[in-house]
Amino acid sequence: MGSRDTPELVAYPLPQASSSYMHGGNPSGSVVMVSGLHQLKMNCSRVFNLFCLYGNIEKVKFMKTIPGTALVEMGDEYAVERAVTHLNNVKLFGKRLNVCVSKQHSVVPSQIFELEDGTSSYKDFAMSKNNRFTSAGQASKNIIQPPSCVLHYYNVPLCVTEETFTKLCNDHEVLTFIKYKVFDAKPSAKTLSGLLEWECKTDAVEALTALNHYQIRVPRFYFLKEQ
């Protein structure tokens, strides 16, 4: 689910493809430091879910010495600039994020520990298929804009309904949307897309952080019925 439905689109240079893919290196200023992360509700994957909207994510590491703080190595300095511009001071799970450029030039997997939810404090996303800026062509399709109360969902199985989304929100302990819309699909379509609207921007950002890239299991009987 990506936040792509606000009228105020922000003019930016064309999103760059990740320099680590294109040039094999890490430019200066490609790491952001994020503080104000909820220690019980945030982990590496959820940080990725939010920051991947503004550039490729290489690595995420929570800092053991500073609780609620993480380093995020992004694909290039342009991605860092977009993340700082749009996510600094955003409220998330009752805390306000502080996003700034880190003095570090890369994220080193040291002092790894277990987060409150049992997951690792470090994760490498360099080869993740969910990165959206891996080529110039793919990067040019991304709409860069601030978080909003409306999220765009896509790549959703045909059997998914409004009730499915409501259950996902409840299961992941985020507030439920107030409006639901599904786009008309072509007869040959294998997935659905549409819009979900929340009461406020904060609720939508929390839902995106928890549900982005969630894998929906499709019942086997659904495939049998379609054959």
Side-chain angles (χ1 to χ4, degrees):
M1 290 158 50
S3 177
R4 299 183 179 180
D5 193 62
T6 54
E8 303 85 2
L9 298 183
V10 180
Y12 275 95
L14 182 68
Q16 304 294 309
S18 170
S19 58
S20 62
Y21 283 86
M22 303 296 287
H23 305 295
N26 292 313
S28 59
S30 62
V31 177
V32 295
M33 183 170 70
V34 190
S35 59
L37 296 169
H38 196 292
Q39 294 183 56
L40 297 177
K41 297 186 177 182
M42 292 300 293
N43 56 33
C44 292
S45 293
R46 288 190 168 188
V47 171
F48 175 86
N49 287 347
L50 181 59
F51 278 77
C52 73
L53 299 179
Y54 301 105
N56 283 345
I57 307 299
E58 305 290 333
K59 304 166 188 173
V60 176
K61 183 180 79 170
F62 279 76
M63 301 176 70
K64 189 172 185 178
T65 55
I66 312 177
T69 301
L71 295 175
V72 183
E73 182 177 337
M74 305 192 74
D76 53 42
E77 65 271 24
Y78 301 104
V80 168
E81 180 184 355
R82 294 191 293 266
V84 172
T85 298
H86 294 307
L87 296 179
N88 187 39
N89 287 323
V90 167
K91 195 172 182 181
L92 184 65
F93 297 120
K95 293 179 171 289
R96 196 167 295 279
L97 300 184
N98 184 353
V99 184
C100 62
V101 180
S102 171
K103 295 180 180 179
Q104 304 293 326
H105 295 302
S106 63
V107 172
V108 180
S110 60
Q111 292 187 311
I112 300 175
F113 60 99
E114 189 175 279
L115 297 176
E116 293 290 340
D117 66 352
T119 62
S120 175
S121 64
Y122 169 83
K123 192 168 183 179
D124 191 321
F125 293 95
M127 301 306 295
S128 173
K129 294 180 180 180
N130 291 322
N131 272 317
R132 309 179 184 198
F133 298 78
T134 55
S135 68
Q138 185 186 38
S140 66
K141 298 178 182 179
N142 294 312
I143 299 176
I144 306 300
Q145 62 183 39
S148 77
C149 61
V150 179
L151 301 182
H152 172 213
Y153 67 86
Y154 57 93
N155 198 35
V156 172
L158 297 175
C159 61
V160 169
T161 64
E162 181 177 354
E163 288 70 28
T164 307
F165 280 116
T166 299
K167 186 177 186 305
L168 284 175
C169 290
N170 293 333
D171 290 346
H172 289 80
E173 299 180 343
V174 293
L175 292 178
T176 306
F177 47 90
I178 58 174
K179 293 182 181 179
Y180 166 85
K181 177 180 176 62
V182 58
F183 296 147
D184 293 333
K186 296 180 180 179
S188 59
K190 295 182 179 180
T191 60
L192 297 173
S193 62
L195 303 174
L196 297 171
E197 181 179 346
W198 272 260
E199 187 71 36
C200 65
K201 179 177 68 176
T202 297
D203 297 344
V205 172
E206 291 177 357
L208 183 144
T209 301
L211 298 177
N212 199 8
H213 306 125
Y214 181 81
Q215 294 184 354
I216 299 177
R217 294 184 178 275
V218 180
R220 183 171 176 269
F221 72 83
Y222 175 77
F223 289 104
L224 294 176
K225 184 175 66 173
E226 292 294 312
Q227 292 177 353

